[in-house]
Amino acid sequence: MSMGKPLPHDSGPLHVTGVARYVDDIPTPAGTLHLAFGLSPVAHGRIRSLDLSAVRNSPGVVGVWSAEDFDHMPDCSPSAEDEPLLATGTVHYVGQQVFLLAAESHLAARKAVKKAKFDIEELPALLTVDQALAANSRFESGPSIWTRGDAAGALAKSPHIVEGRMEVGGQEHFYLEGQVALALPLENGDMLVHASSQHPTEIQHKVAHALHLSMSAVRVEVRRMGGGFGGKESQGNALAVACAIAAARTGRPCKLRYDRDDDMVITGKRHDLAIGYKAGFDDAGKLTGIEFLHLFRCGWSQDLSLPVADRAMLHADNAYWLPHVRIESHRLKTNTQSATAYRGFGGPQGIIGIERVMDHIAHALKKDPLEVRRVNYYRECDVDQGPGHGHRYGGPHSPKAEELQPQTTPYLMPIEDFIGHAMTAKLSETSDYVARREAIREWNKTSPVLKRGIAMVPVKFGISFTLTWLNQAGALVHVYQDGSIRMNHGGTEMGQGLFQKIAQVAAGVFGVDAEMVKITATDTALVPNTSATAASSGADMNGMAVKIACEAIRERMAAHLAEKHQADPAQVRFADGRVQVGGADYSFAEVAAMAYQSRVSLSSTGFYKTPKITWDRVKGQGRPFLYFAYGAAVTEVVIDTLTGENRILRADILHDTGNSLNPAIDIGQVEGAYVQGAGWLTTEELVWNDKGRLTTHAPSTYKIPACSDRPRVFNVALWDRPNREDTVGRSKAVGEPPFNLGISAFLALSDAVAACGDGSVYPHLDAPATAERILMAVKRQRGDV
């Protein structure tokens, strides 16, 4: 059985030998043109004139286009049709595309684009959430507000109150392969686009619209991406549209690849935000009422900001029962890059808010933060974890009638599968959390300069698209007469191992080794109307679609063999590369050949739609997720109180993958997600100057975690028990949930800072907790500022 085996990534050997083909590696036909965008130098202004004469006369330039060269400007937005390919009269951020050129080489295009002369009347720019809020600059008429119970009334009666405001920074995707596209004009005006995109169908739709073609006239192919993390869900639209338009107008293949600086200046980031909170609680630390205020900086266009901000609200509870809660979310329009999808899609921004509250409550009560978290956990009820793991409850006593009923989230979804208590207990034991916390406390007493901190954080992350119709996937599977299998589906490979896992699903259905399954490029001509590979749904949806297609073929093969041997089709067994029926034993290849020669169809499509999804985003009520994935992490850090420099010393992680489809790949995903999450909250700082120019626009100024920043001791284990929902192999999604485990590193740093004072001042760290912010927090603890 291939499913569940820890097989290596299918492209691993290709990666390390350098022969894995990305868009920039595709041999281009003779005469291919190279494109570049001319970018706005100001954050907000009216274009009075644009002198492109020197650009047109630059060596190698073939064509130059600005807004005046279009009767109707193509749109590149994934949502509100508010992102023109080129600026039309007004520019809205530093880096907005103003004109496009095509040249004979990449270097010629880069040189020519610098020769433009802009005359722009600068207008006042809104750069911060507070400026946008004051100006009522937003993407909806007012804030989104979701409530349950009476938060204000509960707060008024609460024995204790904590409140505060936390700034949480954005994050650059920093994929290794930058944004790139290649368009090849075909006969009859058709277009083939090779794109580095998580959403080939959206590229297809946008290109078709720009060229006034039907979608059937545009084919988009994606073999692999060198990383995506959400940054290639919508941000590649402009490149593909530009290439297609230039190819259509010149009749020549066209390619556009951003240099790294341009990539960082042009493209959107993770949404940064300010989180305000007010929480009431009792002497045990149990929440009685809570209010959240989310101020999201969305940038100049809507992009995916509404569902991102919604998902932050959906995860504002994380693992905790909130009986009285009010969440108010503002989606603010600013003159900065349009913030976009990023791993977690708003979930991490919601989770860090409630985790900050738990930490603050524990500090106020002088309790272990884990104790406060456990007091507030959802109740475990009626959770079937497979053989030997029956029903589980939050306490040792026999359950009362009300304890048999699941608690609900603030949006009224029942929590039927909560395993936080058991996972926390297990990780606390394996990480030796209690003893280490006491040892750190004693160590800090005798260490005047270096201080250590430790934190444990749980994760509950919802799996599904909140836009219901995106919860669908298709697949196309062929079995050839020699027994080889070719698989195609709507998911895209960005290094996360999706193709390998789904190949194992297909192999498992036919009872053959995964090596028998040919992994092919995602292609809109083969599987139509695909959803983005996002929301951690790639393996769930596409795996099920492939499984359904494979089962249809297997049933035909079994029926043919059963008829041949006068047996029941249910008695035909596919396993270990063999097919057995009655006393006969064939190789899989022999059965495929027999089926072909008997004119049995060996090709099938598969279609899957996620069940049980019901969601009303206006009311903030329903079941937006099929299930939750859980996890927990313990992180230990050390800080230098003289400089603010810090290190992650150790991380212990226990993560819920259901029945893992591939433990090796899943563990790699957990490790990478944790480091990326820790980077978001520690080193990765985005800085704009007072003119709206991104100053952290290159690896020299923007610091992702390096290899030396990983924990010195890094223990990762999988909570490998079946998903209670009927997912492929009873597995669970693993792309986004473990990203949130990095929050434990941030709170461990806060714990270390708290050790610098007498306990009377809460650290109030903002994120990212850079060395500078840590140093200032240490000084506040000691009363030096």
Side-chain angles (χ1 to χ4, degrees):
M1 187 71 174
S2 290
M3 277 199 295
K5 288 186 177 180
L7 300 181
H9 195 295
D10 60 285
S11 294
L14 306 181
H15 290 153
V16 298
T17 56
V19 297
R21 182 171 287 186
Y22 298 90
V23 174
D24 204 32
D25 300 316
I26 296 173
T28 55
T32 297
L33 296 175
H34 298 262
L35 311 186
F37 282 119
L39 308 179
S40 169
V42 302
H44 191 202
R46 278 187 286 267
I47 302 174
R48 288 189 287 229
S49 66
L50 181 62
D51 184 355
L52 300 177
S53 56
V55 177
R56 290 190 173 91
N57 293 327
S58 189
V61 172
V62 173
V64 181
W65 302 275
S66 62
E68 63 185 22
D69 297 302
F70 292 85
D71 294 330
H72 178 72
M73 181 60 65
D75 175 73
C76 301
S77 167
S79 55
E81 298 190 0
D82 59 349
E83 291 185 36
L85 174 65
L86 303 175
T88 55
T90 304
V91 292
H92 299 281
Y93 77 99
V94 176
Q96 184 175 358
Q97 299 98 318
V98 179
F99 67 93
L100 174 69
L101 69 83
E104 298 289 354
S105 70
H106 179 74
L107 182 59
R110 293 285 300 160
K111 287 183 175 180
V113 82
K114 303 296 184 183
K115 298 178 181 180
K117 296 180 180 178
F118 295 91
D119 182 6
I120 299 177
E121 176 192 356
E122 290 198 51
L123 301 173
L126 302 173
L127 302 178
T128 68
V129 291
D130 293 318
Q131 290 171 348
L133 188 64
N136 197 33
S137 177
R138 59 178 72 246
F139 286 105
E140 293 178 299
S141 58
S144 291
I145 301 173
W146 299 349
T147 63
R148 195 253 298 276
D150 178 10
L155 284 167
K157 299 174 184 177
S158 295
H160 308 285
I161 297 283
V162 294
E163 55 187 316
R165 171 172 161 143
M166 179 186 187
E167 306 285 338
V168 181
Q171 189 175 21
E172 166 65 34
H173 299 88
F174 218 94
Y175 23 66
L176 292 181
E177 176 205 26
Q179 299 281 358
V180 59
L182 169 65
L184 304 173
L186 307 176
E187 61 185 21
N188 294 323
D190 290 4
M191 194 67 63
L192 168 61
V193 179
H194 294 278
S196 184
S197 172
Q198 296 171 231
H199 201 345
T201 290
E202 185 167 276
I203 296 285
Q204 180 189 29
H205 168 70
K206 288 297 179 181
V207 168
H209 186 265
L211 298 182
H212 306 291
L213 298 173
S214 65
M215 289 179 69
S216 63
V218 178
R219 176 182 160 212
V220 179
E221 181 179 303
V222 181
R223 173 55 186 95
R224 63 170 59 83
M225 289 163 275
F229 310 117
K232 294 178 179 176
E233 184 170 346
S234 64
Q235 298 291 289
N237 292 354
L239 293 90
V241 169
C243 287
I245 288 174
R249 293 193 176 194
T250 64
R252 296 169 63 175
C254 289
K255 180 178 178 180
L256 175 53
R257 172 176 56 81
Y258 289 161
D259 282 9
R260 178 65 67 178
D261 285 59
D262 284 350
D263 199 321
M264 294 181 72
V265 166
I266 295 170
T267 60
K269 325 296 178 193
R270 179 184 294 279
H271 289 72
D272 58 20
L273 76 161
I275 303 173
Y277 60 88
K278 185 176 183 180
F281 52 97
D282 62 19
D283 291 342
K286 191 168 186 177
L287 283 166
T288 52
I290 190 167
E291 294 178 343
F292 279 117
L293 174 66
H294 291 172
L295 303 179
F296 273 89
R297 177 161 63 167
C298 299
W300 74 282
S301 65
Q302 182 173 299
D303 197 87
L304 298 168
S305 291
L306 302 191
V308 167
D310 285 353
R311 191 171 279 257
M313 298 174 77
L314 288 165
H315 287 80
D317 62 324
N318 194 22
Y320 310 108
W321 161 244
L322 308 180
H324 298 279
V325 56
R326 183 181 190 275
I327 310 168
E328 178 178 327
S329 175
H330 297 255
R331 295 85 194 268
L332 300 167
K333 185 175 182 178
T334 56
N335 295 112
T336 51
Q337 287 84 349
S338 186
T340 190
Y342 201 121
R343 194 175 195 171
F345 203 76
Q349 291 96 310
I351 290 173
I352 195 173
I354 190 66
E355 292 303 330
R356 168 63 166 262
V357 168
M358 292 296 160
D359 205 54
H360 199 165
I361 290 172
H363 185 273
L365 294 175
K366 294 182 169 51
K367 289 181 177 289
D368 182 340
L370 179 56
E371 180 183 344
V372 172
R373 288 183 166 88
R374 281 173 154 164
V375 164
N376 286 285
Y377 273 176
Y378 281 108
R379 182 171 58 240
E380 287 185 283
C381 77
D382 198 25
V383 181
D384 184 15
Q385 293 295 336
H389 302 278
H391 300 315
R392 308 178 64 89
Y393 299 91
H397 60 283
S398 297
K400 299 176 182 177
E402 63 269 18
E403 291 178 325
L404 295 173
Q405 300 301 315
Q407 294 169 316
T408 59
T409 65
Y411 45 93
L412 305 185
M413 177 175 170
I415 301 296
E416 302 168 326
D417 60 354
F418 190 73
I419 53 177
H421 294 277
M423 290 189 75
T424 299
K426 182 66 174 178
L427 183 61
S428 182
E429 175 189 345
T430 58
S431 67
D432 201 18
Y433 169 82
V434 175
R436 286 170 59 202
R437 183 168 186 84
E438 178 59 25
I440 288 170
R441 190 179 71 83
E442 293 299 320
W443 188 86
N444 283 338
K445 290 179 180 179
T446 60
S447 179
V449 175
L450 300 180
K451 298 291 183 182
R452 292 189 179 185
I454 192 170
M456 179 188 281
V457 169
V459 168
K460 173 181 69 66
F461 196 88
I463 305 298
S464 291
F465 286 99
T466 52
L467 188 57
T468 303
W469 71 67
L470 293 178
N471 293 292
Q472 60 176 301
L476 175 64
V477 176
H478 304 313
V479 174
Y480 293 92
Q481 56 185 299
D482 65 352
S484 61
I485 302 160
R486 187 178 181 95
M487 172 193 73
N488 194 269
H489 55 83
T492 57
E493 175 64 50
M494 63 193 92
Q496 82 278 39
L498 173 67
F499 281 16
Q500 177 63 55
K501 292 169 80 169
I502 295 184
Q504 290 177 243
V505 171
V509 173
F510 292 118
V512 300
D513 290 337
E515 290 79 5
M516 293 288 292
V517 182
K518 177 71 173 178
I519 297 171
T520 60
T522 309
D523 191 331
T524 58
L526 299 178
V527 176
N529 307 318
T530 63
S531 296
T533 304
S536 301
S537 64
D540 276 7
M541 297 200 309
N542 294 288
M544 285 296 278
V546 164
K547 179 174 179 284
I548 290 166
C550 292
E551 287 174 341
I553 298 171
R554 187 185 65 185
E555 286 172 9
R556 295 178 203 145
M557 297 172 79
H560 171 66
L561 273 184
E563 182 181 1
K564 178 181 176 69
H565 290 274
Q566 298 182 340
D568 184 345
Q571 296 175 341
V572 180
R573 182 172 180 267
F574 292 74
D576 302 321
R578 311 295 298 178
V579 184
Q580 297 172 337
V581 55
D585 186 309
Y586 302 96
S587 70
F588 181 78
E590 288 175 322
V591 174
M594 285 190 291
Y596 163 70
Q597 292 164 10
S598 298
R599 297 182 293 177
V600 174
S601 172
L602 295 177
S603 177
S604 181
T605 59
F607 180 79
Y608 173 76
K609 62 179 181 180
T610 309
K612 301 184 180 181
I613 304 296
T614 58
W615 175 238
D616 186 330
R617 72 170 295 267
V618 176
K619 294 180 180 179
Q621 295 180 5
R623 179 176 181 150
F625 308 121
L626 176 60
Y627 64 87
F628 294 99
Y630 296 90
V634 175
T635 298
E636 181 179 345
V637 302
V638 61
I639 66 172
D640 184 333
T641 60
L642 301 180
T643 65
E645 292 294 325
N646 55 88
R647 293 287 183 273
I648 299 177
L649 301 177
R650 176 176 169 179
D652 294 80
I653 293 171
L654 182 58
H655 194 74
D656 169 32
T657 58
N659 283 343
S660 175
L661 294 176
N662 185 317
I665 285 177
D666 284 351
I667 287 174
Q669 282 288 288
V670 172
E671 291 171 341
Y674 170 87
V675 171
Q676 191 175 43
W680 166 49
L681 297 172
T682 58
T683 65
E684 298 187 45
E685 184 175 29
L686 291 164
V687 179
W688 286 263
N689 66 17
D690 59 3
K691 296 294 185 180
R693 183 176 297 277
L694 181 67
T695 60
T696 50
H697 57 81
S700 59
T701 51
Y702 184 80
K703 300 299 183 183
I704 65 171
C707 203
S708 59
D709 295 315
R710 73 191 188 282
R712 303 300 195 270
V713 179
F714 204 173
N715 301 316
V716 177
L718 301 182
W719 185 263
D720 196 9
R721 299 181 187 178
N723 191 345
R724 72 195 303 272
E725 297 295 341
D726 186 20
T727 54
V728 60
R730 297 282 177 173
S731 64
K732 286 191 177 184
V734 74
E736 293 173 309
F739 179 94
N740 300 279
L741 299 173
I743 294 172
S744 62
F746 175 79
L747 292 178
L749 289 170
S750 181
D751 186 53
V753 171
C756 299
D758 61 6
S760 62
V761 178
Y762 183 66
H764 285 289
L765 264 181
D766 287 331
T770 58
E772 295 87 348
R773 286 198 175 99
I774 289 173
L775 182 59
M776 290 304 296
V778 169
K779 290 183 175 182
R780 286 194 299 270
Q781 285 291 313
R782 293 175 171 172
D784 294 339
V785 291

